[in-house]
Amino acid sequence: MAAAAYRLPAMDQDFLLGDTTRGLRFQLEYQKAEEHLREWGVATTVIVFGSARVRPGEKNGWYDAAREFARICSEEGGAKIAHNGPRQNVIATGGGPGIMEAANRGAHDAGAPSIGFNITLPMEQEPNAYSTPDLTFRFHYFAMRKMHFAIRAAALVVFPGGFGTMDELFEILTLRQTGKMDDNLPVVLLDSAFWKSLVNFRHFADTGLVAAKDLDLFGFADTPRQAWEQLLRRGLKVPGAKA
């Protein structure tokens, strides 16, 4: 009875954390977050990506801009709808500091819930203080975290960031380009000067590596209000808006 083989599978951590049960762990990471999101009536999200290293009060203004954008989105996008109706355009971030904190904070300012999709890292990431506790998750697998970012996404706003931000941006653009995501999902990069100096997007098309029309998959904005208005122009749906 003391042998490992005799343990109930659900109580055997050595078994649950083994190589052969990786698929089961994938399923659990999907299902746990999915159940919480459904309980809160989250129908669609607006994803906000950006650097974890940005701090309030810095001269670039990125933190304050992310906070203001999330407040506008939460107030005007449908995230505050009561539980008897689906919540639309709920702010979703990676749950950590910097731009992520700012966006969750902006939703909090508006009295709306927001989501934090945290990831376990070698230097442990702690959730920021502003994502809604019942919607603050922790993932082991980047792949499952990215899937949850994508499956409810109605729009994407990307603030300046590092390698992680670039990875997330180009993953969404690839899903759009290949038709794996909604053709009407708008993508906006905030701070046009930063992005245009960082990446020569036109060079992709000029060298034939992407089609010219692929450059229309995203746009630029320089203020939170511009970002919100561009999302609307690009097809973001909000409750009560005229078709």
Side-chain angles (χ1 to χ4, degrees):
M1 291 177 66
Y6 190 74
R7 298 174 196 152
L8 287 170
M11 306 297 291
D12 187 345
Q13 285 232 330
D14 291 334
F15 168 70
L16 290 175
L17 298 177
D19 286 343
T20 62
T21 51
R22 184 171 288 110
L24 177 60
R25 296 195 299 276
F26 260 70
Q27 181 179 348
L28 290 172
E29 288 206 345
Y30 168 77
Q31 187 169 343
K32 182 176 181 179
E34 182 67 19
E35 288 186 1
H36 281 259
L37 291 163
R38 291 188 182 194
E39 286 173 8
W40 275 77
V42 177
T44 63
T45 60
V46 172
I47 309 168
V48 178
F49 289 143
S51 176
R53 303 185 183 193
V54 172
R55 295 292 179 266
E58 291 181 338
K59 290 182 179 180
N60 53 45
W62 295 331
Y63 184 101
D64 293 337
R67 181 177 177 182
E68 175 64 8
F69 168 79
R71 183 194 64 77
I72 294 170
C73 178
S74 297
E75 288 184 345
E76 301 181 22
K80 296 174 69 173
I81 294 175
H83 285 290
N84 60 358
R87 299 181 191 274
Q88 305 289 345
N89 303 315
V90 176
I91 291 293
T93 79
I99 293 296
M100 297 173 281
E101 175 189 294
N104 289 127
R105 187 174 181 180
H108 185 270
D109 292 341
S114 68
I115 301 163
F117 290 126
N118 292 265
I119 186 76
T120 299
L121 299 171
M123 295 185 66
E124 194 70 27
Q125 175 181 310
E126 293 184 357
N128 65 63
Y130 299 101
S131 60
T132 301
D134 280 350
L135 297 174
T136 299
F137 308 106
R138 183 170 67 163
F139 294 88
H140 175 75
Y141 296 106
F142 270 105
M144 188 52 63
R145 181 188 189 227
K146 288 180 175 181
M147 181 175 175
H148 269 294
F149 269 126
I151 56 179
R152 282 179 169 81
L156 170 64
V157 176
V158 189
F159 286 77
F163 292 161
T165 300
M166 297 295 287
D167 170 62
E168 292 158 336
L169 166 62
F170 279 101
E171 174 135 15
I172 296 294
L173 289 179
T174 301
L175 292 172
R176 284 287 324 278
Q177 181 192 46
T178 56
K180 298 295 186 181
M181 289 189 78
D182 186 345
D183 288 342
N184 295 320
L185 186 142
V187 177
V188 173
L189 313 184
L190 197 135
D191 192 339
S192 59
F194 171 86
W195 287 106
K196 290 177 181 179
S197 65
L198 180 69
V199 182
N200 185 352
F201 291 102
R202 173 57 58 182
H203 192 57
F204 285 118
D206 290 345
T207 52
L209 301 179
V210 305
K213 67 178 182 178
D214 291 333
L215 299 183
D216 295 328
L217 292 173
F218 58 92
F220 300 95
D222 291 309
T223 69
R225 178 56 68 178
Q226 286 177 4
W228 176 246
E229 291 176 351
Q230 184 161 167
L231 292 182
L232 297 177
R233 286 196 302 271
R234 287 176 169 266
L236 180 66
K237 297 178 176 63
V238 299
K242 294 181 180 180

